[in-house]
Structures are given as C-alpha cells and as structure tokens.
C-alpha cells in the first residue's frame, strides 16, 4: 500500500516537472520569436525611412533644377518662351504659334545657358530673314527676382548689341499667367493689350499670327495724330511703338540694346 502511494506521488511530481520544463521551453521559444519579429519590423521601418528620404531628396533636386524661375519671351512672328531655372539654364521651351513651333523644333535648347540658346535663335535663317525685312524682334525678361532679371537683361543686351530692330526689356511675372491662359507669350500679350486699348475689336487670334512690326504699325496708325495729317515731334519719336512700351524701346534703340 505504501509503495503504491509513493509511486502515485512520484508520477505527480514527474508530471509537474515536465510541465515546468515545457513551460520554460515555450517561453524561451516565444521570446525569441518576438525579438526576431521586432527586429524585422525595425529593419522594415529603417528601409522605408531611407526610401522616403531619397524620394524627398530626388523631389527637391527636381524642384530646384527643373522648375522655371524666370522666362525669356522672344517674339517676331515666331513667338516662343524659354523657361530658365534658378541656375539660369533652359529647362523649358514653349511655342505660342505655328511659326514659333517650327522655330522651336529646329533646336535642342534644353539645359543650355540662356546666352548660348539666344545666340542660336538669333543665328537662325528665319530670324535673320525677318530682321532683314525691317521686322521687330522683342525680347522680354520676366521674373520676380529683380537682381536676377537685371543680370539676365544686361547679358541679353550684350548678345544683341549692334543689331537693328531688336528691343529688350524686363518685366515682373504678374501678367504671365494671364498671357498663357490666352495662349500668348508675354511679349505678344503685352503688345496685344496696348493695341486693344486703341482697337477693342482686335482678337487674340489675330494678334497671335501678326508680326511684332505689324502690331506696332497698327498701334502707330491708330494713335492720336494732329488733324492736319502730320505727326507731331512726340509721335515721330515713337518710331512706330506705342506708349509706355515704346518709350522704353526708344531708350534702348539709342545705344542700349
């Protein structure tokens, strides 16, 4: 009898010991799995953070390099705009009429310095032919950074120095959005506003296909003229260019291209 009782208690002790060992084994295994699982999560988080960092750096680089901060509007009848980034490299070329598209398609100006790009445009036979026929070429520098615009304007004037009928000026970018909404470059848009003051019936479509000389001649014809049919001295001084815009061009023509 005593032996049977002792055997029974030994079995209970053995079972308890087995349970303790099993519990310890499972606890060990479970903790190890949790640590491994946490390590995988941390690694995944680090990889995701690195990816986001490089995406941000890439976006920032794209924004710094490819976002235009100023524009050069070039208008004869070909009408186009060069978008310059903050490093003054050409990052966009936009044409605003059929002649402008033909001209833009004949170059690869992307990532050029603007002076080199402008020299190529001025050397094009189409532009040369227009200028040889006494057409007017308008170059507008548009930007919000006054110092940058002034520097670009000075360099552009140096590029065109000595050439007839090329007029350069700078302007803020306030009206650029309005010009683009109408499908006009800034230079054509500014001339259009001036002509519209004298001829409210003029349309954007008409102006888009007119040369700058045609627009200026139209402005001149519609400007106030003395009743005897002769021009006053002030009108003669305009040389076919309208108020405001023309006065700036007159100063440039007198030796400051």
């Amino acid at each position: 009898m005593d032996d049977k009782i002792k055997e029974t208690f030994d079995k209970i002790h053995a079972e308890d010991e087995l349970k303790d060992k099993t519990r310890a084994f499972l606890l060990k295994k479970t903790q190890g799995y949790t640590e491994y699982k946490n390590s995988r999560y941390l690694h995944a988080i680090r990889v995701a953070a690195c990816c986001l960092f490089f995406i941000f750096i890439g976006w920032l680089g794209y924004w710094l390099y490819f976002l235009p901060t100023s524009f050069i509007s070039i208008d004869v009848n070909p009408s186009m705009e060069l978008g310059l980034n903050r490093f003054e490299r050409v990052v966009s070329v936009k044409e605003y009429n059929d002649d402008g598209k033909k001209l833009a398609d004949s170059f690869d100006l992307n990532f050029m310095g603007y002076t080199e790009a402008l020299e190529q445009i001025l050397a094009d036979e189409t532009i040369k032919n227009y200028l040889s026929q006494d057409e007017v070429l308008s170059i507008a520098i548009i930007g919000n950074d006054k110092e940058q615009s002034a520097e670009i304007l000075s360099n552009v004037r140096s590029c065109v120095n000595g050439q007839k009928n090329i007029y350069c000026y700078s302007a803020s970018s306030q009206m650029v959005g309005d010009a683009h909404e109408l499908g006009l470059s800034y230079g054509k848009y500014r001339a259009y506003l001036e002509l519209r003051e004298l001829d409210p019936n003029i349309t954007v479509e008409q102006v888009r296909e007119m040369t700058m000389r045609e627009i200026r001649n139209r402005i001149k014809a519609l400007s106030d003229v003395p009743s005897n049919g002769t021009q006053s001295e002030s009108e003669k001084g305009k040389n076919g260019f309208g108020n405001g815009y023309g006065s700036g061009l007159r100063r440039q023509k007198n030796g400051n291209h």
Side-chain angles (χ1 to χ4, degrees):
M1 181 69 176
D2 290 339
D3 291 338
K4 288 182 179 181
I5 292 173
K6 185 175 181 301
E7 185 180 349
T8 302
F9 276 102
D10 287 343
K11 287 181 179 180
I12 294 172
H13 178 74
E15 289 177 356
D16 289 341
E17 186 177 356
L18 179 60
K19 289 179 181 178
D20 290 340
K21 288 182 179 180
T22 302
R23 187 182 297 110
F25 174 79
L26 291 175
L27 181 62
K28 182 179 179 181
K29 290 298 181 181
T30 302
Q31 286 177 339
Y33 175 73
T34 303
E35 289 174 0
Y36 174 71
K37 191 173 181 180
N38 288 340
S39 176
R40 289 184 63 188
Y41 282 148
L42 289 173
H43 179 70
I45 290 172
R46 291 191 188 103
V47 170
C50 288
C51 289
L52 289 174
F53 174 75
F54 284 114
I55 289 172
F56 172 76
I57 292 297
W59 175 84
L60 181 61
Y62 180 90
W63 181 79
L64 286 173
Y65 196 86
F66 290 99
L67 182 70
T69 58
S70 57
F71 297 88
I72 300 179
S73 179
I74 302 167
D75 300 279
V76 190
N77 187 38
S79 190
M80 60 191 294
E81 281 182 357
L82 307 181
L84 311 182
N85 65 11
R86 63 190 65 250
F87 308 109
E88 298 180 353
R89 292 278 169 176
V90 177
V91 292
S92 67
V93 179
K94 175 67 175 177
E95 62 278 351
Y96 288 92
N97 59 11
D98 291 339
D99 287 344
K101 180 171 176 52
K102 291 177 184 177
L103 183 62
D105 288 345
S106 64
F107 300 110
D108 183 9
L109 305 177
N110 284 323
F111 314 126
M112 279 188 186
Y114 64 88
T115 54
E116 182 183 357
L118 187 59
E119 287 171 356
Q120 286 202 24
I121 292 171
L122 294 177
D124 184 81
E125 287 302 318
T126 301
I127 299 299
K128 286 183 176 180
N129 288 337
Y130 271 110
L131 293 176
S132 68
Q133 297 169 21
D134 201 34
E135 288 290 350
V136 173
L137 191 153
S138 162
I139 302 177
I141 314 302
I142 307 110
N144 287 327
D145 187 327
K146 292 183 179 180
E147 290 187 5
Q148 184 188 41
S149 295
E151 179 184 355
I152 294 173
L153 178 60
S154 176
N155 291 334
V156 168
R157 283 177 173 169
S158 296
C159 285
V160 303
N161 188 36
Q163 299 194 51
K164 290 178 57 179
N165 295 332
I166 300 179
Y167 303 98
C168 310
Y169 63 97
S170 63
S172 70
S173 59
Q174 293 177 354
M175 292 195 298
V176 169
D178 294 335
H180 293 175
E181 284 183 9
L182 293 178
L184 294 176
S185 66
Y186 179 86
K188 273 283 182 79
Y189 179 69
R190 183 166 172 169
Y192 162 71
L193 292 181
E194 190 176 341
L195 178 55
R196 193 180 64 178
E197 288 183 3
L198 300 169
D199 181 7
N201 295 320
I202 193 71
T203 67
V204 171
E205 289 72 23
Q206 289 173 317
V207 167
R208 185 179 292 120
E209 301 306 325
M210 293 172 69
T211 68
M212 294 300 285
R213 172 62 75 189
E214 288 171 340
I215 296 172
R216 290 297 149 196
N217 286 346
R218 182 65 177 158
I219 290 171
K220 179 181 177 181
L222 294 173
S223 297
D224 292 336
V225 183
S227 58
N228 61 8
T230 61
Q231 285 184 302
S232 64
E233 289 300 317
S234 61
E235 286 297 321
K236 289 179 182 178
K238 289 180 181 177
N239 192 31
F241 295 92
N243 296 328
Y245 175 78
S247 61
L249 299 187
R250 289 198 305 278
R251 289 193 295 272
Q252 293 163 23
K253 187 173 182 181
N254 293 329
N256 291 321
H257 289 289

